[in-house]
Each structure stands twice: as structure tokens, then as C-alpha cells.
Amino acid sequence: MNLYKLAFNNIRRKKLRSALTALGIIIGAATIVVLLGITAGATSAVQEQTDKYMYDVVVAPASSSGTYLMDSQTVSKVEKMSNLYGLREVTIFSENINGTRVNFEGVNDWRQVKLINGTQGVVINKATADKFGLGIGDKIKAKDQQLTITGISKEEQAIYVYLNQDTAQKVTGNKVSAIYARSHVSPNATADEIENQVDGVSVLTKSEKVAEIQKQTSQALLFIGIIACIALVVGIISVVNTMMMSVMERTRELGVLKAIGFTNWELKGSILFESGLLGFLGAILGVILGIIGIVVFANMLDFTDYIPQMMPVWLIGGVIVGSTILCILAGLYPAMRASKLNVVEALRHE
């Protein structure tokens, strides 16, 4: 007799009990996938939004300078500072078009702009497209220059146009609104040095606060993961109960198997395979249910852009492998008890 077939038959023989046991695993696995998936997506969103602020200092025109753009001479002085590295320039300006203020922003990383149509280059958001009736291929005026629209991004309340940073600088006469940079020394010391050596600028430090926010989101992911795992542990306990009941009900059957020559290791293997199979099937169904839940919640929370980050391979694989291993461990005690049955006493059991 094939012991693996025996395990399958035992699951089929007790359909309701096996289904209820698997249900506990399904609920636990689905809970982990949904909670950790949504948290992972939220963490990715926060980190994506804060990554662009990961700098030690940001240099911008001082309020006393009466301008919101730094000229090329000021930019050159700042970028020649020996303590700065990883510099990133950003140019932001606004235009009045038909009585409406339109914001223009230079983009270094187009991943921050969620396109719904077209390509990178000169991208208007949907609010701009609806306001002026513009589309891809139309022209929009910026600082007396006609720019050809190449794409449309997701809806935003403000009227925005996104340009390649190089284009934004050319349009404004090679001017920059802000310079983001990392520092080899203390950000505060660097900020003081820049303000003392370059006229008409103000310097802010921020990356420490941003790093703290990202750390907090990672801690939230860990905490929610622990909470979700509790649901899976409850399901694992039901596996222990099911396997113990199975051993008790099959005492005579197990005695017969030992009497006809099955070894203790073979009996253990049968019990462990049965519990592992329950865990594996429950985890597969739980993962499928969890993925459905993630898609539903992502649409409800308008997180559809982060669905891939909500279903990382480590989460899906970890839930399936972890559930299977934990269920095998849950069947270890019942398996050991089955292997220690006395043949004579087992055969007398009714």
C-alpha cells in the first residue's frame, strides 16, 4: 500500500474535518497576504514619495532675494562646494494662461509621474487637459516658447505640466528653483557654509526626518506581519487537533499497518505528509484569496499603481512554504505518537 495514497484517502475520508482544518489555514494565509500586501504597497508608496526628498540639504532662493529662481552663476557656486555630492536640480515656475495659473515642473525621475497616455517629455495632467481641451500633439505656451505635449498623467487637483528638467532649464534661461544634495559632513554645518559663501540663497536640511518616516513605515510592516501571523498560528493549531483526532480514530488501522510490516518511519511519514498536504493546499487557496482581496482593496484605496509591490515574491512564496513547514511541524507530535503505538493494544482498540 502506498503511504502517500493512504494520506490522500484519509483526507478524502474525513472531508468535512479536513475542509474545516484547511479553512483555518486558508483564512490565516489570506489574512497575511492581504495585510502584509497592503502594508507593503503603502510602504512602497511612502518610500517612493519620500525618496525624492532624500537629501542632506536643499538650496533655494532666499525670500529676501525677491525671486523664485537661481541664475546659472549662483547654481555654479553652489555646485562647486566641495562638501556636496549627488546633486539634483529642479526647476519649477508658473505661467498665466487664459487667466488660469499653470504650474510647470522639471522632472529628473519620470517614475514619479504616473502616465495614463503618451510618453515622457512634456506631460500635462488630466486637470490641465480638461481645463484647456488639450491632448497629445497639441501645443502649450511656456515663457514665450511653444512646447508639444507628449503625454497625459493621472488626475490632480492643481493644473500641472511636467517637463524634462533640461527642457525646464532652457525655457527659464538656465535657471533653477532648488538644488538637492547630499553632504560629506554634517548637513547643518554644510547649510551654514553655503549660506555664508553664496549670496541670495537659503538652505534647509531634511533627509533625517524623511529617513525616520521610512523607518517607521518599515516598523509598521513588521508589526502588522506579526499580527497577521497570529491568524495563521490559530489555523496551525487546528492542524494539530485534526491530526491527533485522526491518530486516535485510526489506532486499529495503524496497528494493522505495523503488524503487516510498516516501519515507524513510514507511519511518521504518512502522518507528516498528510499534515503538510493540508498546509500546502490551504496556503495555495489562501494566497489566491489574498490576491483577490489585494486587488479589491487596491481599487477601493486607489492603490492600483502599487499592486505589483503588494504581491512580492517573498510574500507569496513565504506564506506557501511557511504554512507547509509549520503544518508539518504541527503533525510531528501526532506522528510520533502514532509510531509508538503498541501493535497488540492497537489491534484490540475498538
Side-chain angles (χ1 to χ4, degrees):
M1 182 183 294
N2 189 306
L3 287 178
Y4 300 115
K5 185 177 180 180
L6 182 66
F8 275 112
N9 288 337
N10 190 55
I11 291 176
R12 293 173 58 187
R13 185 168 52 187
K14 302 292 184 181
K15 292 185 179 68
L16 181 59
R17 181 187 298 166
S18 299
L20 292 175
T21 301
L23 182 62
I25 305 299
I26 292 169
I27 294 173
T31 302
I32 290 178
V33 171
V34 171
L35 290 181
L36 286 186
I38 292 175
T39 307
T43 300
S44 296
V46 171
Q47 290 183 339
E48 183 177 300
Q49 293 299 316
T50 55
D51 274 346
K52 57 185 176 182
Y53 300 115
M54 281 303 292
Y55 51 79
D56 290 322
V57 295
V58 56
V59 184
S63 57
S64 59
S65 65
T67 181
Y68 59 89
L69 291 170
M70 295 179 288
D71 57 31
S72 56
Q73 290 83 5
T74 302
V75 172
S76 178
K77 289 180 182 178
V78 172
E79 295 184 344
K80 287 180 180 178
M81 304 285 291
S82 60
N83 286 331
L84 298 180
Y85 70 98
L87 291 90
R88 179 169 61 88
E89 300 173 349
V90 174
T91 299
I92 301 174
F93 61 94
S94 62
E95 289 281 287
N96 191 300
I97 300 178
N98 298 333
T100 301
R101 180 176 177 175
V102 180
N103 302 294
F104 291 80
E105 180 175 340
V107 178
N108 291 287
D109 184 1
W110 281 98
R111 291 177 300 177
Q112 306 293 336
V113 180
K114 307 301 180 184
L115 289 175
I116 57 175
N117 198 9
T119 59
Q120 304 167 0
V122 179
V123 176
I124 60 175
N125 65 1
K126 198 169 185 304
T128 307
D130 294 341
K131 178 69 177 180
F132 300 106
L134 297 174
I136 296 173
D138 292 334
K139 302 284 186 179
I140 189 167
K141 186 177 180 181
K143 299 289 185 183
D144 299 323
Q145 295 189 35
Q146 294 292 331
L147 303 176
T148 302
I149 297 169
T150 62
I152 299 176
S153 69
K154 292 186 69 173
E155 182 67 75
E156 294 176 27
Q157 291 183 347
I159 306 295
Y160 255 93
V161 179
Y162 301 99
L163 316 172
N164 283 319
Q165 175 57 26
D166 292 341
T167 303
Q169 282 187 246
K170 291 177 182 177
V171 168
T172 57
N174 209 31
K175 293 182 179 180
V176 173
S177 302
I179 300 173
Y180 299 86
R182 305 302 297 267
S183 174
H184 290 294
V185 297
S186 166
N188 291 328
T190 300
D192 292 338
E193 182 182 0
I194 295 172
E195 290 182 342
N196 290 333
Q197 296 187 19
V198 182
D199 295 330
V201 300
S202 64
V203 185
L204 299 175
T205 61
K206 199 169 185 178
S207 64
E208 289 182 0
K209 182 63 176 177
V210 174
E212 181 182 343
I213 293 173
Q214 292 189 341
K215 181 180 178 182
Q216 289 173 349
T217 58
S218 297
Q219 291 174 339
L221 179 63
L222 176 62
F223 176 74
I224 291 178
I226 294 172
I227 298 300
C229 285
I230 294 175
L232 183 59
V233 169
V234 173
I236 300 300
I237 293 173
S238 69
V239 173
V240 177
N241 179 64
T242 297
M243 300 315 299
M244 285 296 297
M245 291 297 295
S246 176
V247 170
M248 291 174 63
E249 291 177 354
R250 296 164 59 200
T251 299
R252 183 179 178 82
E253 177 187 325
L254 294 173
V256 171
L257 291 175
K258 293 187 75 171
I260 63 176
F262 282 91
T263 66
N264 289 340
W265 280 108
E266 287 175 326
L267 290 179
K268 285 181 184 178
S270 176
I271 301 295
L272 294 177
F273 179 76
E274 185 179 332
S275 59
L277 183 62
L278 283 172
F280 178 75
L281 295 177
I284 293 291
L285 294 175
V287 165
I288 294 173
L289 183 62
I291 290 173
I292 294 172
I294 283 176
V295 173
V296 171
F297 279 109
N299 282 279
M300 291 174 58
L301 300 173
D302 195 24
F303 259 40
T304 52
D305 291 335
Y306 299 98
I307 287 180
Q309 289 91 330
M310 290 181 178
M311 295 182 284
V313 175
W314 63 263
L315 177 57
I316 304 301
V319 169
I320 295 174
V321 174
S323 297
T324 304
I325 292 175
L326 287 175
C327 284
I328 291 174
L329 293 176
L332 192 58
Y333 175 69
M336 293 178 63
R337 181 169 176 174
S339 69
K340 293 178 180 180
L341 286 174
N342 182 280
V343 176
V344 176
E345 292 181 359
L347 291 174
R348 289 176 178 172
H349 188 273
E350 295 295 336

